[in-house]
Amino acid sequence: MEIFEANTEIYVGDKFDEVINKIKCKKAFIVTDSVMTKIGMTKKFENIFEQKNIEYKIFDEVEVDPSFEIVNKALDKVIDFLPEVIIAIGGGSSLDTAKAIKYFVKKSNLFIPLIALPTTSGTGSEVTSYAVLTDKKNNIKIPLKDNEMIPEYAILDPELTKTLPKSVVADSGIDALTHAIESYTCKGANFYTQIYALSAIRLIFKNLLRMYKDIKDDEARIEMAKASYIAGFAFEKSGLGINHSIAHAIGGKFHIAHGKINGTILPYVIRFNSEDKTTALKYYEISKDLGFPANSIEEGAESLAVAVEILNKNLGLPSCVKDLAIDEEKYKNEIEIMTKSALEDICTSGNIREVNLKNLKELFVKVYG
Ligand SMILES: [Zn+2]
């Protein structure tokens, strides 16, 4: 049986007022990071609250790779304030922090709806039940998955992505592409998830470089925001694969931005998964759809790997882990531990090709370059 249902109400454009009117809340709690408050990104929302006499509090201590400690700190404030809505404004870190808060609040038998306002286009976190938290003591990223974390509302306001730095456009955009390709090819993919995944892949190949070159290109930003959330819809239902497992392991150990490490290793993972003709077929299908050279299954799969390499190059992304300035000796010393953690990662079981300690370890060696 193939089931596909979307749990988040999506609004595209300047729709914050509309959503706030709809939920008629009197107390709101904003979760964001200090950069957002410093550059005045939260001001627009504060003004709306003041006009509508809505009591609000801002928690702007979200860090990159949010820890359990930060979630707990925010959670104490939420339980103390008891808002009627939580509003997450920011990239994946702010959204994931707010989702984890929502999850733990629910554990105390409280339900607080969540509005997600992504300021990057990539994680798809605004529509998924995943949140990645970091165990700072052991440098391990821990992906959590629970339906309680899915935001009730997501607002894709292109004004919020208008000032994104180029490196964030590249990292987050290539993350969305990784979601879409892994979703399309993984074991859990079905007819419905593949429609969304393939649409996202098309949109990303068409618009990511445009957005990277000209952040003022309104159409490219809107299309990338859509690509990001539909890739999110797709992988929410299908799961992901080892690209994410490896990225979680290397990213957690060496503090590399999630999207950057995903994009860096994506061509290697496509080639690894395509060593078998039956698994290469899915990559061939993507290439065929996009009009890349695909006269045979092998050629189609290879064309996709090459297309990602070219896109990476144009986005200023590295071509191997070595180029991320990670010391070779340190990397080698961690391979054993990283391989084990990648094998245990929740994304691994969905990978299209079966992996084991041996072939996964070989892949960790290969991606170093
Ligand atoms: Zn990702």
Side-chain angles (χ1 to χ4, degrees):
M1 185 168 54
E2 292 181 334
I3 300 175
F4 195 93
E5 56 167 350
N7 308 76
T8 307
E9 258 182 50
I10 305 281
Y11 294 77
V12 180
D14 184 7
K15 305 284 183 188
F16 187 69
D17 247 338
E18 213 173 288
V19 177
I20 286 294
N21 283 341
K22 186 171 177 176
I23 57 177
K24 297 186 177 69
C25 75
K26 283 285 156 221
K27 274 174 115 180
F29 189 91
I30 295 180
V31 177
T32 190
D33 61 67
S34 57
V35 176
M36 291 293 149
T37 45
K38 254 180 224 141
I39 63 171
M41 197 69 106
T42 54
K43 207 71 209 151
K44 169 175 160 180
F45 309 103
E46 291 176 60
N47 291 342
I48 291 172
F49 292 146
E50 273 151 28
Q51 279 164 19
K52 294 183 187 293
N53 274 326
I54 294 171
E55 206 186 328
Y56 68 93
K57 278 206 163 35
I58 299 178
F59 178 83
D60 70 350
E61 295 172 48
V62 173
E63 54 196 359
V64 175
D65 298 337
S67 63
F68 286 93
E69 287 77 14
I70 281 293
V71 170
N72 277 332
K73 196 172 177 188
L75 185 63
D76 284 344
K77 292 184 192 298
V78 167
I79 290 180
D80 190 47
F81 183 56
L82 287 182
E84 289 164 345
V85 66
I86 297 172
I87 296 153
I89 306 167
S93 297
S94 291
L95 269 51
D96 283 7
T97 301
K99 285 160 73 175
I101 295 168
K102 185 178 190 303
Y103 172 75
F104 290 115
V105 160
K106 187 72 203 265
K107 290 266 170 217
S108 319
N109 284 326
L110 283 169
F111 169 73
I112 306 177
L114 172 62
I115 305 174
L117 288 118
T119 58
T120 62
S121 294
T123 66
S125 184
E126 63 273 20
V127 293
T128 71
S129 59
Y130 290 89
V132 181
L133 298 185
T134 298
D135 169 355
K136 297 256 164 167
K137 246 183 248 155
N138 300 304
N139 282 334
I140 302 172
K141 290 197 175 191
I142 302 172
L144 307 173
K145 187 180 189 315
D146 195 290
N147 283 350
E148 296 300 339
M149 291 196 285
I150 301 175
E152 278 67 29
Y153 306 92
I155 305 172
L156 310 176
D157 182 350
E159 283 301 306
L160 298 180
T161 54
K162 215 171 186 171
T163 53
L164 272 187
K166 273 186 185 303
S167 65
V168 179
V169 172
D171 291 354
S172 49
I174 211 76
D175 186 28
L177 181 65
T178 313
H179 294 154
I181 292 179
E182 289 217 282
S183 172
Y184 186 89
T185 54
C186 73
K187 278 185 200 158
N190 66 36
F191 173 75
Y192 305 100
T193 60
Q194 285 191 325
I195 290 172
Y196 280 93
L198 202 53
S199 297
I201 296 168
R202 280 187 214 127
L203 283 173
I204 295 163
F205 271 108
K206 208 169 152 196
N207 294 288
L208 176 53
L209 208 52
R210 263 177 75 185
M211 180 177 170
Y212 178 80
K213 286 188 173 156
D214 179 13
I215 197 68
K216 300 276 177 280
D217 184 334
D218 293 340
E219 192 191 30
R221 286 200 323 282
I222 290 174
E223 297 295 271
M224 276 306 297
K226 288 180 184 169
S228 165
Y229 91 73
I230 61 173
F233 270 150
F235 86 79
E236 168 65 25
K237 308 296 174 194
S238 64
L240 291 163
I242 55 165
N243 207 109
H244 268 76
S245 312
I246 298 171
H248 291 148
I250 301 177
K253 203 50 88 183
F254 295 99
H255 306 290
I256 310 293
H258 173 73
K260 195 185 289 294
I261 183 66
N262 259 331
T264 305
I265 64 171
L266 183 55
Y268 297 87
V269 173
I270 293 172
R271 290 192 175 108
F272 171 85
N273 279 341
S274 302
E275 280 172 22
D276 184 321
K277 211 171 177 176
T278 51
T279 53
L281 181 69
K282 296 275 183 75
Y283 298 101
Y284 158 85
E285 286 170 7
I286 296 171
S287 276
K288 192 100 180 145
D289 181 83
L290 293 172
F292 298 156
N295 289 313
S296 64
I297 290 176
E298 290 86 349
E299 188 189 35
E302 178 57 22
S303 293
L304 186 63
V306 171
V308 174
E309 277 174 345
I310 294 168
L311 184 59
N312 276 348
K313 197 163 188 272
N314 284 315
L315 293 169
L317 289 166
S319 60
C320 59
V321 171
K322 185 166 48 183
D323 291 350
L324 288 161
I326 294 175
D327 178 74
E328 188 165 7
E329 220 34 56
K330 279 187 188 152
Y331 183 81
K332 275 187 179 161
N333 290 339
E334 298 290 352
I335 283 183
E336 193 77 37
I337 294 171
M338 290 193 296
T339 307
K340 280 185 185 147
S341 95
L343 255 189
E344 285 164 14
D345 193 288
I346 52 170
C347 300
T348 299
S349 60
N351 194 64
I352 186 170
R353 180 180 165 188
E354 290 303 328
V355 290
N356 52 45
L357 205 58
K358 186 175 172 287
N359 62 14
L360 199 54
K361 205 169 160 181
E362 285 164 5
L363 187 53
F364 266 98
V365 172
K366 208 169 240 179
V367 298
Y368 187 79

